[in-house]
Amino acid sequence: MPMKAIVYTSNTGFTAQYARILSEKTGLPAMTLEDARNNLPKGTPIVYMGWLFVGSVKDYRRAAKHFTVKAVCGVGLCDTGSLLPELRKSMKLPDAVPVFTFQSGMNHDKLTGIYQHMIQVLVKVLSQKKRTEDEDKMLALIKAGGSHVSESYTEYFMNWYKNENTTV
Ligand SMILES: Cc1cc2nc3c(=O)[nH]c(=O)nc-3n(C[C@H](O)[C@H](O)[C@H](O)COP(=O)(O)O)c2cc1C
């Protein structure tokens, strides 16, 4: 069965932005996980997009409980490339489900509560330790804030999507 919707979870807006881009490119409707749970039947095939949260894609498990997730898009500061095996394991992601990563950024103005606190702690910890190259990059991106949203990050996903739609 072909995919019916782009379903997403966003905290500060970057994932919502990418969901709109994918919606325009695929013609599928984009909706939040809450809206999707209220409006789409259980088992509907979807693309799930969530922001990267401490090495996992936020609310993937909740989405997978309700829907048939055909692909996962993680939106975050870093490319998940080297983290992919751990990410798959921690999320209990089936091998057949592809994962794509879109770089976003850090919106300090919209970050509140526990998430703001967690980032403050992370900056402190990273600033004080001997950092790997990846940690160095992450710290610089967090400190600088702002957006790196770019349509170019959706290219791999779109190639996969077009192929899926012609072979299914
Ligand atoms: C508490 C917290 C933890 C985060 N953990 C990660 C992470 O593990 N990897 C990553 O690349 N980005 C991480 N980020 C960055 C967010 O994924 C990034 O800012 C994302 O764009 C937020 O998406 P949103 O605007 O849709 O909420 C984290 C951000 C917060 C606030």
Side-chain angles (χ1 to χ4, degrees), residues 10-15 51-55 75-78 104-105 119:
S10 184
N11 181 40
T12 67
F14 294 123
T15 313
W51 57 285
L52 291 177
F53 173 67
V54 199
V75 176
L77 287 170
C78 298
S104 55
I119 284 297

Side-chain angles (χ1 to χ4, degrees), residues 50-60 74-75 87 90-91:
W51 57 285
L52 291 177
F53 173 67
V54 199
S56 73
V57 175
K58 189 76 173 160
D59 284 347
Y60 162 75
V75 176
L87 191 91
S90 69
M91 288 165 56

Side-chain angles (χ1 to χ4, degrees), residues 131-150:
R131 293 180 293 280
T132 62
E133 208 176 306
D134 280 352
E135 287 170 340
D136 228 16
K137 259 190 230 161
M138 182 137 178
L139 183 61
L141 285 165
I142 294 174
K143 279 185 167 170
S147 172
H148 299 271
V149 170
S150 161

Side-chain angles (χ1 to χ4, degrees), residues 55-57 60-61 72 86-93:
S56 73
V57 175
Y60 162 75
R61 297 294 310 156
V72 172
E86 290 90 49
L87 191 91
R88 282 191 171 279
K89 214 169 141 197
S90 69
M91 288 165 56
K92 299 195 175 85
L93 196 69

